[in-house]
Amino acid sequence: MAENLSTFISSKTKTVEISREKPTVIIGERINPTGRKKLLSSLKEGNYDVVRSDAKSQVEAGAAILDVNAGVPGADEEPILKDMIHALSEVTDAPLCIDTADVIALETALSIYEGKALINSVNGEEEKLESILPLVKEYDAAVIALCMDDEGIPPTPQDRFEVAANIIERAGKLGIEPADIVVDPLALTMGSDHNAGRIAIETIELVVAEFGVNVTMGASNISFGMPDRAFINSTFIAMSILAGLTCPITNPLEEEVNIAIQAADLVMGRDDFGMNWIKNYRDRQKNS
Amino acid sequence: MAENLSTFISSKTKTVEISREKPTVIIGERINPTGRKKLLSSLKEGNYDVVRSDAKSQVEAGAAILDVNAGVPGADEEPILKDMIHALSEVTDAPLCIDTADVIALETALSIYEGKALINSVNGEEEKLESILPLVKEYDAAVIALCMDDEGIPPTPQDRFEVAANIIERAGKLGIEPADIVVDPLALTMGSDHNAGRIAIETIELVVAEFGVNVTMGASNISFGMPDRAFINSTFIAMSILAGLTCPITNPLEEEVNIAIQAADLVMGRDDFGMNWIKNYRDRQKNS
């Protein structure tokens, strides 16, 4: 078993440590216009109030890092992403996860961001490795590494592990430490392959055993098309935390998943005397 | 990693296979007068109607094996346990888990039971090893092995593993196969030790990696004294299933824990096409 690594992500005034020895770090997913009409139309109007309120509500609900995505169909991402980062800096000290497939927008965002950002994402495609990894190095950022490459998403945990290993190796050649690589095993939909959950979890186990790196994942696709999705997502995220997931990308306003993360931390012995559990319980009582 | 073993428990007409390749087997815990006034008073009157109805309701709710405990304070367990087993044979073909600390009652129960019983339990205490293991062999039963011995319950996963290893070795000397040993790592209360959950899970991981044996556990003590216990129990049982738990002793009428078990099986890829999940969802809709 490799030693557990710590990944540090920071804003101008706050540093978040991601580590298997500490409580799970939630990366809030909501600042993303995909499928969110209200946010999308506000961004089209150059209005960042929804961005600001999404930041506040997610941090209040437990997000420690905020994903920020400026994917407005038909619009140039670069200025929007830049404005979003400025707007966020006004209302929160939570560090950001900069989520864009546009390399120009990414570089501009990194150049104005004050702190150590998490980049979402690189993968094993040659073109991505060549365009993203030098920016990780140049801006001393960390990066999410998706377990897919030019051949697509490998069907087996072993092959996904190989993609992660390749990204870590390529990053190492540029002087990027494994601590700055956060692996995403990719959780697909069990509706298409009933082994999708197991494959993601086994990928996490392999990557953690070999490299000790931190692990992120979006955990809601897994249940797409199934009934009672919240139960599946909660169970899947708790099991993934046991396997080694440390910083899921979720919506912290979804109470079931949030509670499952808190309970998993409690079970893992990462919540001394259950104090967080009891505090969160009291907060739920107050708000109900 | 050791190969996963199958444990077969049977009644006269039905065999249940416990295996890490199959859906989780629930051992229904309710036929136990401890803390259950109605059952206790009926047993005192020699009335087995509650036993019969508890059997039916637990099997309907998903129990595949039924624990049967005749612990009526101040009464002789032997005749009560015998009558309970007879009463159960009238209403269910679910195999039984015979739960008694009274060796005379245990031997009588085994002598009248038609099938391969699961004995609850042996542990690493010398006196228990000497009295229980020969009965396991003589009656071709399987047995739950608790990770405690004459020194008490070891505080570390490694020491609990050693207790299990010792029981498996002693059983082997009598010709009892590891497949007939079902290890219980012992889940204590997180209220007294906030690492209790992690210790139980790590014990499971060690025992499974070395021996491939099946694993049982009562998963409700863990949350004693904490608020929102159902969330903790559900999360803990799902994580334990990933670690290797195969046949928890639970109350299948507690919906949250039952759903967590079903979701964990789904995530583990043990529910082809999610058909059980969807069927159980429909049953919940019908009953709600």
Side-chain angles (χ1 to χ4, degrees):
Chain A
M1 287 290 289
E3 196 192 335
N4 286 324
L5 301 176
S6 286
T7 305
F8 296 93
I9 309 294
S10 62
S11 67
K12 194 174 173 185
T13 54
K14 189 171 184 181
T15 297
V16 172
E17 179 180 0
I18 306 169
S19 155
R20 222 156 275 109
E21 323 286 328
K22 307 238 164 185
T24 300
V25 168
I26 293 173
I27 304 175
E29 72 181 8
R30 280 175 64 75
I31 306 176
N32 183 332
T34 312
R36 293 198 58 216
K37 277 190 190 166
K38 193 178 157 197
L39 175 59
L40 180 61
S41 61
S42 72
L43 292 178
K44 280 182 176 166
E45 292 162 7
N47 175 335
Y48 296 94
D49 289 345
V50 182
V51 169
R52 279 183 276 258
S53 68
D54 277 347
K56 284 190 268 189
S57 62
Q58 289 187 99
V59 169
E60 266 169 34
I65 295 174
L66 297 173
D67 189 85
V68 49
N69 179 304
V72 175
D76 181 4
E77 280 190 36
E78 189 189 14
I80 303 175
L81 186 58
K82 204 171 147 183
D83 286 348
M84 288 169 91
I85 291 171
H86 281 307
L88 286 166
S89 72
E90 294 161 19
V91 293
T92 182
D93 60 359
L96 301 183
C97 174
I98 297 172
D99 182 4
T100 176
D102 178 332
V103 182
I104 307 290
L106 175 62
E107 177 149 21
T108 300
L110 291 169
S111 71
I112 62 155
Y113 182 70
E114 300 185 90
K116 183 181 176 95
L118 179 60
I119 295 172
N120 188 1
S121 57
V122 71
N123 63 39
E125 293 168 10
E126 194 53 41
E127 180 266 330
K128 287 281 184 183
L129 292 169
E130 285 172 17
S131 60
I132 306 295
L133 291 181
L135 294 178
V136 177
K137 178 65 186 167
E138 183 178 348
Y139 291 96
D140 185 26
V143 66
I144 293 174
L146 309 183
C147 291
M148 57 180 284
D149 62 14
D150 290 302
E151 322 259 286
I153 301 174
T156 69
Q158 186 60 43
D159 287 345
R160 290 196 194 175
F161 165 84
E162 299 294 347
V163 174
N166 181 46
I167 299 170
I168 291 168
E169 190 196 337
R170 290 287 294 269
K173 285 185 181 159
L174 297 184
I176 302 164
E177 301 287 336
D180 285 331
I181 309 285
V182 177
V183 172
D184 184 337
L186 297 176
L188 303 180
T189 299
M190 289 195 291
S192 333
D193 174 2
H194 72 265
N195 285 313
R198 197 177 51 72
I199 290 166
I201 286 175
E202 289 182 11
T203 303
I204 296 175
E205 289 172 338
L206 291 172
V207 166
V208 168
E210 182 71 20
F211 299 110
V213 290
N214 283 299
V215 175
T216 187
M217 190 163 65
S220 58
N221 276 342
I222 197 85
S223 61
F224 188 76
M226 291 286 207
D228 269 352
R229 293 185 62 179
F231 286 127
I232 301 175
N233 295 348
S234 304
T235 302
F236 178 58
I237 210 161
M239 294 168 87
S240 299
I241 287 170
L242 174 61
L245 174 68
T246 45
C247 50
I249 300 187
T250 71
N251 176 358
L253 305 180
E254 280 177 5
E255 195 166 55
E256 292 90 343
V257 170
N258 229 10
I259 294 175
I261 292 171
Q262 293 157 11
D265 281 343
L266 181 65
V267 169
M268 295 299 283
R270 294 177 191 157
D271 179 1
D272 290 357
F273 310 107
M275 284 171 70
N276 284 339
W277 181 260
I278 292 165
K279 183 192 167 298
N280 287 318
Y281 167 75
R282 288 190 180 138
D283 290 349
R284 283 196 297 276
Q285 296 296 100
K286 244 183 275 170
N287 298 333
S288 69
Chain B
M1 288 290 288
E3 196 193 334
N4 285 324
L5 301 177
S6 286
T7 305
F8 295 93
I9 309 294
S10 62
S11 66
K12 195 173 171 185
T13 55
K14 190 173 184 180
T15 297
V16 172
E17 179 180 1
I18 306 168
S19 156
R20 221 156 276 109
E21 321 289 329
K22 306 239 164 185
T24 300
V25 167
I26 293 174
I27 304 175
E29 72 182 8
R30 281 175 61 76
I31 307 178
N32 183 333
T34 312
R36 293 197 58 215
K37 277 191 189 163
K38 192 177 155 198
L39 175 59
L40 180 60
S41 61
S42 72
L43 292 178
K44 280 181 176 167
E45 292 163 6
N47 176 335
Y48 296 93
D49 289 346
V50 181
V51 169
R52 280 182 274 258
S53 69
D54 276 349
K56 284 189 268 189
S57 62
Q58 290 187 99
V59 169
E60 265 169 35
I65 295 174
L66 297 174
D67 189 84
V68 49
N69 179 304
V72 175
D76 181 3
E77 280 191 35
E78 190 190 14
I80 304 174
L81 186 56
K82 205 170 144 181
D83 287 349
M84 289 170 90
I85 291 171
H86 280 307
L88 288 166
S89 72
E90 293 160 19
V91 294
T92 181
D93 60 358
L96 301 184
C97 175
I98 298 172
D99 181 4
T100 177
D102 178 331
V103 182
I104 306 291
L106 175 61
E107 178 149 20
T108 300
L110 291 169
S111 71
I112 63 155
Y113 182 70
E114 299 185 272
K116 184 181 176 97
L118 179 59
I119 296 171
N120 188 1
S121 58
V122 71
N123 63 40
E125 292 168 10
E126 193 53 41
E127 180 266 330
K128 287 280 184 186
L129 293 168
E130 286 172 16
S131 61
I132 306 295
L133 291 181
L135 295 178
V136 176
K137 178 63 186 168
E138 184 179 346
Y139 292 96
D140 186 25
V143 66
I144 294 174
L146 308 183
C147 291
M148 57 181 284
D149 62 13
D150 290 303
E151 324 258 287
I153 300 174
T156 68
Q158 187 60 43
D159 288 345
R160 290 195 195 177
F161 165 83
E162 299 293 347
V163 174
N166 182 44
I167 299 171
I168 291 168
E169 190 196 338
R170 290 287 294 269
K173 285 186 181 159
L174 298 182
I176 301 163
E177 301 286 337
D180 285 331
I181 309 285
V182 177
V183 172
D184 183 337
L186 297 176
L188 302 180
T189 299
M190 289 195 294
S192 333
D193 175 2
H194 72 265
N195 285 313
R198 198 178 51 73
I199 290 165
I201 286 174
E202 289 182 11
T203 303
I204 296 174
E205 290 172 337
L206 291 172
V207 167
V208 168
E210 182 69 20
F211 299 110
V213 289
N214 282 298
V215 174
T216 186
M217 190 163 66
S220 59
N221 276 342
I222 197 87
S223 61
F224 187 77
M226 291 285 207
D228 269 352
R229 294 186 61 179
F231 286 127
I232 301 175
N233 295 348
S234 304
T235 303
F236 178 57
I237 210 161
M239 295 167 87
S240 300
I241 288 170
L242 175 61
L245 174 67
T246 45
C247 50
I249 300 188
T250 71
N251 176 358
L253 304 180
E254 280 176 7
E255 195 166 51
E256 292 91 342
V257 170
N258 230 10
I259 294 175
I261 292 171
Q262 293 157 11
D265 281 343
L266 181 65
V267 169
M268 296 299 282
R270 294 177 191 157
D271 180 359
D272 290 357
F273 310 108
M275 284 170 70
N276 284 337
W277 180 260
I278 292 165
K279 183 193 166 298
N280 288 317
Y281 166 75
R282 288 190 179 139
D283 290 348
R284 285 196 295 276
Q285 296 296 100
K286 245 182 273 170
N287 299 334
S288 70

